[in-house]
Amino acid sequence: MNAECIHLPPFMNWRSFPTSASLSQHAAGILLNAIRDNPSVVLALPTGRSPLGMYDRVVNECEREYRCFRDVTTFNLDEYVGVPRGHPGSYRTYMQRHLFEHVDLDPRNAHIPDGMAGDLDAECRRYEEEIRAAGGLALTFLGLGRNGHIGFNEPGSPFDARTRVVELTPSTRAANAEFFPDGNVPTHAITMGIATILESRAIVLLASGAGKQEAIERLRSGSVDESFPASALRLHPNVTVLTQA
Ligand code: GLP
C-alpha cells in the first residue's frame, strides 16, 4: 500500500477536542493508522510539549501491537545547533525518551539533523537528500509556536525555504529556556524548511497548549504571508488542525 492511502481529507480540516487527552488520543490514532495503512510509512515528527500525549499513547498502543515501527522511517523537524545529542535539552534526547526507546524503530531509520556537524550547511543538504532518498514525507506532525512558527521556521521565513540553519527569536528562546536551566539557551537551530514541510503528502498540526489562541485564530482567518509561518499550511491540500476547545 502506498502513502496516498493515509485517511485524511483533501482540505484544511479543523477538529476541536474538549481535553488535551482526547486531542492526543486522536493524534495517536492518526499516526498509528498511517503505519497500519503502510508499515514502511515515512513520518516527520515534532518535539515540544504539544506532542507528548500523542507519543505516550503511541508507545502504549505499540506495547500491545508488537513491531509497529519495524519498517517505519522518521525525520524530526528540527534540532538545536551546538547542543550535543546526549544533552537533556537536545531534541535527540527528547525523542529517545518519549518515543525511540520504547518502540522497535530501527535507529538507522530515525533521522534528526546533527546540530553538532562541523559543516552545518552540508548537514542541511544531506538531510534534504535523506528525505528524498526515503521517498519523501508521507505524513508530517507539527506543533505551533506562539509566534506561528512551525519547526523552527520563525516569522519571515520564506515559504520556499528548505532545511537550513536559522537564528531563534528571543521569544522562542524564552519559551524553551526551561529546558536549559544553566542559562545556555541555544541561539540557532537546524530546521526543515517550509517548502520541505509542504511537500509532505499530509500534515497534522497539533495546535494546543497555553498561549496559542491568538496564533490559532490567525491561522484560521488571517492572511497567508511569511510574517506568520503557519499560514503556509493554507496552501497545502491536506492539512488537519487539532485544537483544544
Ligand atoms: C519548539 C519546536 C516546535 C514546536 C514549538 C511549540 O520551538 N521547535 O517544533 O512546535 O516549539 O512547542 P510547544 O508544543 O512546547 O508549545
Side-chain angles (χ1 to χ4, degrees), residues 45-51 77-80 91 142-146 149-154 168 172 175-176 179 191 205-206 208-210 212:
L45 297 177
T47 49
R49 300 162 192 89
S50 317
L77 289 162
D78 44 19
E79 177 60 285
Y80 294 109
Y91 285 164
L142 298 172
L144 179 65
R146 286 176 213 172
H149 74 229
I150 48 175
F152 268 135
N153 292 283
E154 298 280 31
L168 303 176
T172 296
N176 292 315
F179 304 110
T191 183
L205 177 70
L206 308 175
S208 64
K212 303 285 175 71

Side-chain angles (χ1 to χ4, degrees), residues 45 55 76 91-100 112:
L45 297 177
Y55 291 135
N76 266 77
Y91 285 164
R92 168 67 68 175
T93 298
Y94 173 106
M95 292 307 295
Q96 287 296 134
R97 182 175 305 152
H98 297 296
L99 185 68
F100 296 165
I112 300 183

